Amino acid sequence: MASELLELTVARAAERIRSGELSAGEYFDAYREAAAGDPLNAFLWTAEGPDEGGAGEGELSGIPVAVKDIFCTEGVATTAGSRILEGYLPPYTSTAVKALREAGASVLGKTNMDEFAMGSSNENSAFGPVKNPWDHARVPGGSSGGSAAAVAGRLAPCAIGTDTGGSIRQPAALCGIVGMKPTYGAVSRYGEIAFASSLDQCGPLTRDVTDCALILRALEGRDPMDATSVGIEGGVELPSREDLKGLRFGIPRELASDAEGIERGVRGVFESTVELIERLGGELAETELPHAPHGISAYYVLAPAEASSNLARYDGVRFGPRADGDDLTEMYERTRHDGFGDEVKRRIMLGTYALSSGYYDAYYGRAQRVRTKIAEDFARAFESFDFVVTPTSPTVAFELGARTDDPLAMYMSDYCTVPMPLAGIPAISIPAGLAEPDGGGPELPVGLQIAGPAFSESGMLDAAHALERAIGFDSVPGGGS
Amino acid sequence: MIDREQVLHVARLARLRLSEEEVERMATELSGILGHVERISSLDLDGVEPTAHVIELQNVLRPDEPRPSLPRERALASAPDPAEDSFRVPSPQA
């Protein structure tokens, strides 16, 4: 029965396909039908069938994957959620998608996202917001909101997204699934449309930690087409841990007890998860990341600065729509006015300002130094701890429109997730429980974030696996538990 | 903090036309965001090295061998106004 198929984890489905118990075609069709019906506006395009030449003999044989529409797919429209790429058919395929195909997976569809991955709610998509499967009046988070909603809403078994300041982990938390941002350089960025090149990193969004490891295993690797890619030495182990004995967890007070704006319900779930860590044999102590509270300031200078440079290429010359202009400059200016949405314009302006003559040292230069301090804070914490744990998002999913008039309030959604990409380190969000928003409302998912030193993915997945088993999160959207 | 003139100057640098309404809104919004960002000006950062990139990599090299590149017609396939095997644009001078 199709609905039963939609509940299988990737690991289980792959096993059944390998043993011949389940046909890859039947499995793909069940998802194709679900994705085509899409009640969440999660997909911008869905495939007719499995990739030709896909379903090879890999670990992901026969597995459909939802792909954030920021990854170039040859011959399939790739929009990055923007009007400025309307009609663009990439002449090549991103390495991440190629790697999934080589492992036997097929592209199920391309998912909706905040324009150029700039946003924390998916409301910045040129193609309308994605709805949270737990409550259609709420945001799924962003910018990989389509990927997160599709996986949580049983429209895809797994997905990939990108995380620059929290864009995988925050929507994973808000939709009640697992999402991981790997170490910078673990996964190739070739063919992943650039937002902030020193921060952007591709990673998995899945129903559980084992699936996350399976997808990351396929994605990671050094790629000659991305000189900043190094892969994960020794690869990624599938998680098996059932306790946390011998592991030391630090709780950075700046991102937990002392953090402003963390909802009561989120705090409650975080505290009971921390108790669970102790019950599983993990050692716990409070620690400090003194510069982490400045992460938002540093990030909202550095990321827009890099974006203002990266997005200079959208000028109506080589791809996308072109507006009329009497001369070249006017054509550029009008094309960019018509093609970019409000948030993208805001960030281009912010970044251009921060890099402009007379302001460079005060903004960009200082932000780069704060970045150094944040990385040093983590390095110091990891002398005493294997991992640090924080809430992933200060709040549960908020209502559509709640923060659209206040850019700074929206940016604060990234408070707990921004320091890790600034330091280049990996972090995972796993569902930790349900909580009501402050002021009341439905019970919604809360994510726990675990961050570790560079290239600690295997150990992190192992710890997350033990914790996931103990938490036993089995609630599903719309159905309670 | 950011006035209308500055918004127009930065928009020109960014090759971005803004409507009247957008100019007004941008001045208010950017001022608000920069007001928050300014908090880093209170930090003592003397002698701290800037970080541009987080992993230690130097001179990633590959053999300098010719290899096929994207065929011209495919590079031009998504262009709004291709002409004579090239990207055609309006004249730089009106």
Side-chain angles (χ1 to χ4, degrees), chain B residues 32-67:
Chain B
I33 296 163
L34 290 168
H36 183 87
V37 163
E38 298 265 293
R39 293 183 192 185
I40 58 174
S41 62
S42 65
L43 294 171
D44 178 11
L45 298 169
D46 282 352
V48 179
E49 286 295 313
T51 297
H53 197 73
V54 285
I55 49 173
E56 283 175 41
L57 274 177
Q58 282 180 343
N59 299 336
V60 179
L61 301 174
R62 61 169 172 77
D64 186 17
E65 287 161 0
R67 49 186 179 151

Side-chain angles (χ1 to χ4, degrees), chain A residues 27-28 37 105 146 166 197 201 257 259 288 320 329 363 391 416 435:
Chain A
Y27 186 58
F28 193 94
S197 304
Q201 188 58 202
S257 54
E288 287 178 344
T329 303
Y363 290 105
C416 296

Side-chain angles (χ1 to χ4, degrees), chain A residues 1-9 16 22 26-27 29-34 152-157 207 476:
Chain A
M1 207 182 126
S3 61
E4 186 257 350
L5 291 182
L6 303 183
E7 294 305 318
L8 293 175
T9 62
R16 286 202 197 175
L22 172 64
E26 188 191 346
Y27 186 58
D29 280 346
Y31 272 110
R32 189 180 49 97
E33 212 171 287
R154 273 54 185 168
L155 309 178
R207 305 251 180 91
V476 294

Side-chain angles (χ1 to χ4, degrees), chain A residues 74 87-89 91-92 184-185 198 222 225 227-230 291 294 296-298 300-301 306 316-322 325-334 336-337 340 342 345-346 348-350 352-353 356 359 362-363 365-373 407-408 411-412 421-424 455, chain B residues 1-2 6-19 21-22 25-26 29-57 60-62 67 70-71 74-82 86-94:
Chain A
E74 186 177 345
Y88 172 58
L89 293 176
Y92 65 97
Y184 184 84
S198 81
R222 208 187 91 72
M225 301 303 281
T228 63
S229 68
V230 289
H291 296 87
H294 296 287
I296 291 286
S297 296
Y300 280 96
V301 171
E306 293 188 28
V317 173
R318 287 154 301 158
F319 34 67
R322 172 185 292 186
D326 288 339
D327 61 28
L328 187 59
T329 303
E330 195 184 336
M331 185 280 281
Y332 289 153
E333 290 182 347
R334 286 183 185 277
R336 290 160 65 77
H337 170 271
F340 290 136
D342 287 345
K345 286 177 186 164
R346 204 176 288 135
I348 289 174
M349 290 290 290
L350 197 53
T352 306
Y353 178 77
S356 66
Y359 298 97
Y363 290 105
R366 282 192 83 77
Q368 283 189 309
R369 289 177 169 80
V370 174
R371 188 174 186 182
T372 304
K373 298 301 279 181
L408 195 55
Y411 296 173
M412 294 312 279
L422 287 171
F455 304 110
Chain B
M1 191 182 357
I2 295 222
Q6 279 173 300
V7 169
L8 290 171
H9 170 66
V10 173
R12 208 166 301 122
L13 293 176
R15 297 287 183 269
L16 193 58
R17 179 149 311 199
L18 297 177
S19 68
E21 185 264 332
E22 283 174 317
R25 194 151 39 89
M26 202 65 86
E29 288 172 348
L30 293 185
S31 297
I33 296 163
L34 290 168
H36 183 87
V37 163
E38 298 265 293
R39 293 183 192 185
I40 58 174
S41 62
S42 65
L43 294 171
D44 178 11
L45 298 169
D46 282 352
V48 179
E49 286 295 313
T51 297
H53 197 73
V54 285
I55 49 173
E56 283 175 41
L57 274 177
V60 179
L61 301 174
R62 61 169 172 77
R67 49 186 179 151
L70 204 59
R74 281 176 65 207
L76 289 164
S78 282
D81 187 18
S86 308
F87 299 106
R88 182 162 54 193
V89 296
S91 165
Q93 291 162 316

